[in-house]
Amino acid sequence: MDNLHHIVVVGGGAGGLELVTSLGNKLGKKRKARITLVDAGLTHVWKPLLHEVASGSLDASANEINYRAHARKHHYEFQLGRMSGLDRQNKHVVIAPFHDVDGTEVVPERHIPYDTLVIAVGSTANDFGTPGAQDNCLFLDSLDQARRFHNLMLNAFLRKNHEAFQGAEHTLNISIIGAGATGVELAAELRLASRELPVYGMNHLQPSDVSITVIEAADRILPALPGRLSAAATKELEHQRVKVLTGQPVNEVRPNSVVMKDGTELPSEMTIWAAGIKAPAFLAELEGLEVNRGNQLVVEQTLQTTQDADIFAFGDCAACPQPDSDRPVPPRAQAAHQQADTLFKTLCNRLDNGEAVPFVYNDHGSLINFSRYTTVGNLMGNLSGRSMYIEGKVARMFYLSLYRMHQVALHGMFRTGIIWLMDRISRAMHPRLKLH
Ligand SMILES: Cc1cc2nc3c(=O)[nH]c(=O)nc-3n(C[C@H](O)[C@H](O)[C@H](O)COP(=O)(O)OP(=O)(O)OC[C@H]3O[C@@H](n4cnc5c(N)ncnc54)[C@H](O)[C@@H]3O)c2cc1C
């Protein structure tokens, strides 16, 4: 075992977990290479589900994968820990000491040797240093944050329901800063919650008592997507009685308000930061590796870092060039999924001294899901390169298929079918919203 080529993948997210699964099934199982996954958490939940976990329309525990159990089934090793550095000369990944919840050190700093290293540690929201954002905003970068959001939301509804019962002023003001896909979809999820919670006992509240505002600095929502999609999404949000403020950069976030650049102060008891992304700061301190302003590791089209051909990076934490474009591959689950496929081929080739495969991003389009109300999106024609606008049930089917593709990559077709069936049964048996 010791002489085997050791591939270490750091980060078991949308991309990293798919990669170790296919490497384990192909190389680990036949003992052609040793595969190790390192992740800071014990379980995986697909990140695009986090806003549904936050609003309660999805129960995370039913969609959580335990890394240890998954590793055993798919012939890779799992190490719990947070990467904090790199010793390139000795080819070691440095893992920070692991502490218990009460601060007791469980495992000291470790060094994990590698022959090939893949970094897939994702990204977090970028508050661009906006004063008050860190202290007064909620973020949706991890399962813990999504669960915390859910608890705070239930308590805020409970408080407002009680105030309504007492005949006091009881409007709950929620602001979402950033109208990319995450912000827009979260607004629709929160509107659903405001309609469902009164049904489950908070019956002094009306949906109209919950004021939801989406704030965007650009002159339209979904600025990275085609104008038609943005217009359709604005119409749908307005239909859901979500206020849309565009061309409004945020200057400061206070405990109970958001201050705009023009000085307007918007009351806000719950403020969510959903604008922009940046890669983890420790990447900028890794020995000699090149990063951009957002801490992303700069990679070649082969996903190899520019300064070290034995170190690869992909997904949100990497800036990968695209042919015929001056913009890097966008930070999306779709891209991480495709990169995992390309990297799998490259890493298999590497064992036979073969060539690295260049990555070419194939944009299949974008879909925006308005909770259980509707879905809008554009699909890219593979041959024509033109996009086709879709909405409603067909769009929702394509939207759901993204997650199913991730599940197929992790569990195979048969088990994904069973999971799908269990989801249907669970939905029929449980309330439409997670109430605790
Ligand atoms: C609410 C929300 C909704 C989204 N919706 C969509 C969507 O509809 N469609 C779409 O295409 N994209 C969507 N995205 C973006 C998508 O989730 C990301 O592009 C995708 O998850 C990136 O995959 P990744 O593998 O690079 O990173 P991630 O999936 O973020 O995984 C990173 C992993 O690295 C681990 N990690 C981090 N730091 C360390 C460390 N130092 N050491 C060890 N492990 C570490 C983390 O625990 C995590 O498991 C959404 C994002 C959010 C937040």
Side-chain angles (χ1 to χ4, degrees), residues 191-201 207 372 431-433 435:
R191 177 52 74 216
L192 179 84
S194 77
R195 293 203 170 119
E196 294 284 326
L197 283 173
V199 176
Y200 292 110
R372 289 176 205 160
R432 282 178 292 187
L433 213 64
L435 301 167

Side-chain angles (χ1 to χ4, degrees), residues 185-249:
E185 291 186 350
L186 177 65
E189 289 294 341
L190 294 176
R191 177 52 74 216
L192 179 84
S194 77
R195 293 203 170 119
E196 294 284 326
L197 283 173
V199 176
Y200 292 110
M202 299 199 194
N203 44 9
H204 298 290
L205 272 188
Q206 300 292 323
S208 56
D209 295 330
V210 181
S211 165
I212 305 169
T213 306
V214 173
I215 305 165
E216 171 58 50
D219 59 2
R220 64 180 174 92
I221 65 166
L222 301 170
L225 301 183
R228 183 173 181 192
L229 212 54
S230 149
T234 306
K235 204 166 145 204
E236 183 56 33
L237 284 182
E238 286 170 352
H239 180 64
Q240 301 297 337
R241 298 185 183 279
V242 171
K243 287 179 211 144
V244 177
L245 296 182
T246 52
Q248 298 270 18

Side-chain angles (χ1 to χ4, degrees), residues 10-17 38-41 43-52 67 79 81-84 95 120-124 140-142 181-183 185-186 277 280 282-283 314-318 330-337 339 361 365 367-369 399 402:
V10 184
L17 189 55
V38 179
D39 199 282
T43 60
H44 163 84
V45 168
W46 198 53
K47 206 172 172 187
L49 298 178
L50 290 185
H51 58 294
E52 293 183 41
Y67 288 122
Q79 293 251 10
R82 184 170 287 281
M83 177 179 177
S84 57
I95 309 294
V121 291
S123 64
T124 56
L140 283 185
D141 292 322
S142 67
T182 305
E185 291 186 350
L186 177 65
I277 63 133
F282 82 92
L283 296 178
F314 78 109
D316 285 10
C317 73
R332 295 164 70 177
Q334 199 187 134
H337 171 77
Q339 289 178 328
Y361 177 53
L367 293 154
I368 309 297
N369 187 45
Y399 178 82
L402 237 188

Side-chain angles (χ1 to χ4, degrees), residues 123-128 139 141 177-180 216 273-278 331:
S123 64
T124 56
N126 191 350
D127 66 17
F128 307 101
F139 294 85
D141 292 322
I177 301 173
E216 171 58 50
W273 192 280
I277 63 133
K278 63 175 192 294

